[in-house]
Amino acid sequence: MSLPKVTRPQIVEILKAVSVQPGDGLLVHSALQFLGQPEGGVAMYHKALQEVLGPEGTVAVPTFNFAFARGEDYDPANTPSEGMGVFSEYIRQLPGAQRTTHPLQSLAVIGHHADDLTSRDTPSAFDDGSAFDRMLQLGFKLLLLGAEVQAASMVHYSEQRAAVPYRYWKDFTGDIRLGDEWQQRTYRMYARDLDIDPQLRLQPIQEALQTKGQWQTQALNYGWISLCTLADFVVATDELLTADPWVLIGNREEAQARMEA
C-alpha cells in the first residue's frame, strides 16, 4: 500500500499551528517515514521550514556518529550521521550548512545562528558554552517531525547537569579534521553504563509538558508534528531528575539491581 502524499502547504499549515514563527531557531529531530510520501522529496520539509522561518531563522539537526569511539577519524565535512534520519543527512549536506566539531554528538546547522553555534568546541557536547547550551540561551524550540519525544537529544543536557547515576564520564581520543589540518583531540561523553543497561523512557517529560500546556502537537497520517521550547523541555526534565534521578529509566529495577550486584 502506497503512503499518503504530503505537500508543502500541509507542512507549512501544521508548522504554524504548533507555533513555529518567523525568526525561530529550531532543533529538529525527524522520522519522516511516519508522515507520508513528501511531494518533492525530503527537500520539501526544508522549503516549508524556510517559508515559515524566513531569513532570520535557524535549523539545527543532530548528526551524531559514534565511529570516533571505535577509533575512526572524524571529518565534520564528510563523516555522515548514523541513525539520525534522512532529514538530518539532507541538512548536513546542504550548501551553506555548517557542523560542530564534537566527533560523537555533533549538530549540523543552517541559517542565522550557524556561525555562532558551530564555533563552539567543548569537551562534552552538552557542557556550558556548548552548541546545545547556546541554543537554550538563544530561545530555540524543539521540533519533532514524525519523531517521538524519545528522540530528543536535549535530555542529555539535563542528565549531565543532574549527574544521573546510570551514566559515567568516558574520554575518547582520535584524529579530527579542522580546516585543512588533522589534529589529535580528546573529547568526552557522559556515557550510558552498558553493564547495567539502563533503558531511557522519555514519555514522563512529554507528560509533564502536556500537563503545563507547553506541548503542541498536530497529527499527520501515521505520525505527529510536535513542538515545545528547549527551555520548557529542560525545566521539566530537570524537575523530574531532581525528584528522582531514575525516573527516565524504564527498566530501573533491573538496572539498579545490576548496579548493586
Side-chain angles (χ1 to χ4, degrees):
M1 184 176 67
S2 61
L3 291 173
K5 294 288 185 181
V6 183
T7 67
R8 177 171 163 179
Q10 276 182 291
I11 298 302
V12 167
E13 181 180 358
I14 291 176
L15 291 174
K16 292 179 178 178
V18 298
S19 298
V20 176
Q21 298 175 355
D24 274 349
L26 300 176
L27 172 59
V28 183
H29 288 266
S30 58
L32 301 184
Q33 66 271 24
F34 297 112
L35 301 181
Q37 182 66 37
E39 290 189 352
V42 176
M44 181 274 286
Y45 288 99
H46 182 231
K47 291 177 181 177
L49 284 166
Q50 286 181 306
E51 180 176 338
V52 179
L53 293 174
E56 299 300 309
T58 307
V59 173
V61 294
T63 50
F64 294 4
N65 184 314
F66 298 102
F68 189 78
R70 302 190 294 270
E72 297 184 23
D73 297 342
Y74 172 65
D75 180 353
N78 296 300
T79 299
S81 61
E82 289 184 340
M84 298 289 107
V86 294
F87 184 72
S88 287
E89 270 296 277
Y90 174 81
I91 295 295
R92 183 186 70 80
Q93 297 178 72
L94 278 176
Q98 301 179 59
R99 195 176 186 186
T100 58
T101 55
H102 198 281
L104 300 163
Q105 295 170 307
S106 62
L107 294 168
V109 190
I110 192 163
H112 182 68
H113 293 295
D115 287 343
D116 183 355
L117 294 176
T118 58
S119 69
R120 294 168 183 277
D121 186 8
T122 50
S124 163
F126 300 94
D127 283 342
D128 291 346
S130 66
F132 280 94
D133 184 53
R134 182 60 174 156
M135 285 192 294
L136 184 63
Q137 295 172 5
L138 290 169
F140 268 54
K141 298 173 180 177
L142 171 66
L143 177 67
L144 303 179
L145 291 177
E148 297 182 350
V149 69
Q150 191 69 23
S153 55
M154 198 67 184
V155 67
H156 305 315
Y157 180 83
S158 292
E159 287 181 314
Q160 178 173 318
R161 297 202 308 170
V164 294
Y166 50 85
R167 293 185 179 273
Y168 68 102
W169 284 112
K170 189 170 183 179
D171 290 343
F172 300 92
T173 299
D175 292 333
I176 74 167
R177 187 170 186 173
L178 299 173
D180 294 329
E181 298 181 354
W182 287 91
Q183 295 183 18
Q184 186 177 85
R185 302 281 292 273
T186 297
Y187 289 86
R188 63 177 185 167
M189 187 171 68
Y190 200 38
R192 193 166 58 94
D193 187 345
L194 298 181
D195 289 336
I196 66 172
D197 192 29
Q199 300 297 313
L200 277 179
R201 177 182 173 273
L202 305 191
Q203 192 63 29
I205 303 173
Q206 180 177 329
E207 292 169 356
L209 291 165
Q210 288 173 324
T211 298
K212 297 177 181 179
Q214 296 169 341
W215 183 266
Q216 301 187 66
T217 190
Q218 295 281 315
L220 178 60
N221 294 321
Y222 309 115
W224 302 83
I225 294 178
S226 305
L227 180 138
C228 68
T229 69
L230 283 188
D232 287 340
F233 184 92
V234 168
V235 167
T237 308
D238 286 352
E239 288 176 349
L240 287 166
L241 292 174
T242 297
D244 178 2
W246 290 90
V247 67
L248 301 179
I249 302 303
N251 63 333
R252 61 183 297 163
E253 292 184 3
E254 295 89 341
Q256 287 172 326
R258 294 189 190 103
M259 178 176 282
E260 294 169 1

